[in-house]
Amino acid sequence: MRVGVLTGGGDCPGLNAVIRGIVRKGVQEYGYDFTGFRDGWRGPLEGDTVPLDIPAVRGILPRGGTILGSSRTNPLKVEGGVARVQRHLAEEGVDALIVIGGEDTLGVAATLHREHGVNVIGVPKTIDNDLSATDYTFGFDTAVNIATEAIDRLHTTAESHMRVLVVEVMGRHAGWIALHSGLAGGANAILIPEQRFDLDQVCAWVESRFKIRYAPIVVVAEGAMPRDGDMVLKDGTLDSFGHVRLSGVGEWLADQIEKRTGKEARTTVLGHVQRGGTPSAFDRWLATRFGLHAIDAVRDGDFGTMVALRGTDIVRVPIGDATARIKTVDPSLYEEAGVFFG
């Protein structure tokens, strides 16, 4: 049995732990051979591979990023892309392909399995934690820890200068990072994509903090939108999955707050800092277990499934179920955090 492995979409802490778990168990217990595909779906699309064996995965557990590289390549949008992927898998003698990625990467895997019979197993990866069918995705915990530490640091400088500090975190359609880090970091307002925000209310929260001589921290997800407006975009270009480039809402919000309240406002955009660096202990634990269970699914021939976390158990679910809808913040959870606004 030869197993292919690829990591697609945005990178995040814990990817290397998954690869390590897959290879270690696959070689030691099942005697499988492994082929790594470079840069997500570009690897099988172009036949760009790298050998994967136990020496190749030594020492990578605490490393961020991915030793295989990643990209947002979509073979379904390339003319003849599916045939090229199938041809290169056959040329490499790959019997099964483990796909580690988020909604878009796994969506391609689901289509290749359902419509073209490719033997795939999915592993959920996104720092946004927005994949349904799994309680948590690895990378999320690290991103929340990084954002929380940043908010902690910003409190002191905000109070020293009595400024409003707006912290923009990742979250295109789901505000999990904003909610968790904002609540943990003591933010005075948290704005998420699931709930359009009232700019007058945000300014009222800001002014209420200054009345008691505390400088407010506003945490905003990059996909958050005002009640009377549209999503703030860097530009209108689309990637191969049809997504626009986000970021900019933090600067826009700080400008609006300053104009409306007369208080100086500054913005910190955490951006890719949330994706980089050493994964947390939880993300290493979860990613490793996902890898171990993914190679078990290959052994069992349970193709077309994705490994997922339910409580403390790793289960298998159809990939199509996991990518059918986005997991968003429940209104009741957001309401809980509202106690601390203002």
Side-chain angles (χ1 to χ4, degrees):
M1 170 78 78
R2 178 171 290 276
V3 180
V5 182
L6 67 81
T7 56
D11 69 299
C12 76
L15 283 166
N16 286 324
V18 181
I19 298 168
R20 173 177 174 268
I22 291 168
V23 173
R24 285 286 298 270
K25 188 167 188 178
V27 171
Q28 291 174 193
E29 296 198 11
Y30 304 138
Y32 293 164
D33 295 319
F34 290 89
T35 294
F37 288 97
R38 289 192 174 99
D39 304 333
W41 285 111
R42 188 192 69 79
L45 186 66
E46 300 181 4
D48 191 356
T49 65
V50 59
L52 274 183
D53 53 20
I54 288 181
V57 300
R58 286 198 181 114
I60 67 172
L61 177 63
R63 287 176 54 185
T66 163
I67 62 171
L68 296 177
S70 191
S71 74
R72 297 192 183 277
T73 303
N74 183 357
L76 304 181
K77 297 292 185 179
V78 177
E79 186 174 355
V82 171
R84 288 167 58 184
V85 168
Q86 290 176 308
R87 183 177 74 250
H88 288 132
L89 290 177
E91 289 176 354
E92 293 293 328
V94 172
D95 303 295
L97 181 65
I98 297 178
V99 178
I100 310 166
E103 175 194 6
D104 296 324
T105 302
L106 293 177
V108 173
T111 298
L112 290 177
H113 175 72
R114 182 179 63 252
E115 299 181 10
H116 304 282
V118 178
N119 293 332
V120 299
I121 297 294
V123 176
K125 174 254 13 157
T126 168
I127 67 169
D128 287 345
N129 196 40
D130 61 357
L131 272 177
S132 61
T134 184
D135 290 349
Y136 284 99
T137 54
F138 65 88
F140 171 69
D141 184 69
T142 304
V144 169
N145 287 339
I146 291 169
T148 300
E149 181 181 356
I151 295 166
D152 286 345
R153 291 175 179 273
L154 290 169
H155 272 293
T156 56
T157 186
E159 291 171 8
S160 295
H161 295 276
M162 293 305 290
R163 291 173 175 146
V164 183
L165 280 182
V166 178
V167 185
E168 183 184 304
V169 299
M170 286 183 171
R172 177 179 294 273
H173 300 298
W176 293 107
I177 294 176
L179 181 66
H180 282 236
S181 65
L183 195 57
N188 309 113
I190 302 170
L191 310 179
I192 62 176
E194 294 87 341
Q195 302 274 349
R196 284 181 175 260
F197 60 87
D198 183 334
L199 193 53
D200 290 333
Q201 179 63 74
V202 174
C203 291
W205 288 331
V206 164
E207 290 178 320
S208 72
R209 293 294 290 177
F210 281 112
K211 288 178 182 178
I212 57 173
R213 292 201 56 79
Y214 279 97
I217 300 286
V218 179
V219 176
V220 57
E222 61 186 354
M225 292 181 285
R227 183 173 298 169
D228 302 316
D230 299 317
M231 185 178 290
V232 180
L233 307 175
K234 278 281 189 184
D235 55 56
T237 58
L238 304 177
D239 65 17
S240 61
F241 289 96
H243 298 311
V244 292
R245 182 183 178 193
L246 297 186
S247 186
V249 66
E251 292 182 8
W252 177 87
L253 183 61
D255 181 64
Q256 292 294 316
I257 291 173
E258 192 164 298
K259 287 177 179 177
R260 291 173 180 240
T261 67
K263 303 296 184 181
E264 186 178 3
R266 299 289 179 86
T267 307
T268 297
V269 181
L270 295 183
H272 289 75
V273 171
Q274 296 158 93
R275 284 185 181 168
T278 300
S280 68
F282 177 83
D283 281 339
R284 297 185 205 189
W285 171 84
L286 179 58
T288 298
R289 293 189 69 204
F290 275 162
L292 298 176
H293 283 262
I295 199 63
D296 285 347
V298 170
R299 176 203 60 189
D300 296 341
D302 200 5
F303 301 118
T305 62
M306 181 191 84
V307 293
L309 181 69
R310 296 281 177 83
T312 58
D313 296 329
I314 305 296
V315 300
R316 299 174 194 168
V317 298
I319 296 180
D321 290 354
T323 59
R325 64 179 180 85
I326 294 172
K327 183 177 67 179
T328 53
V329 173
D330 188 279
S332 64
L333 293 176
Y334 187 66
E335 187 177 346
E336 287 178 0
V339 172
F340 302 99
F341 295 175

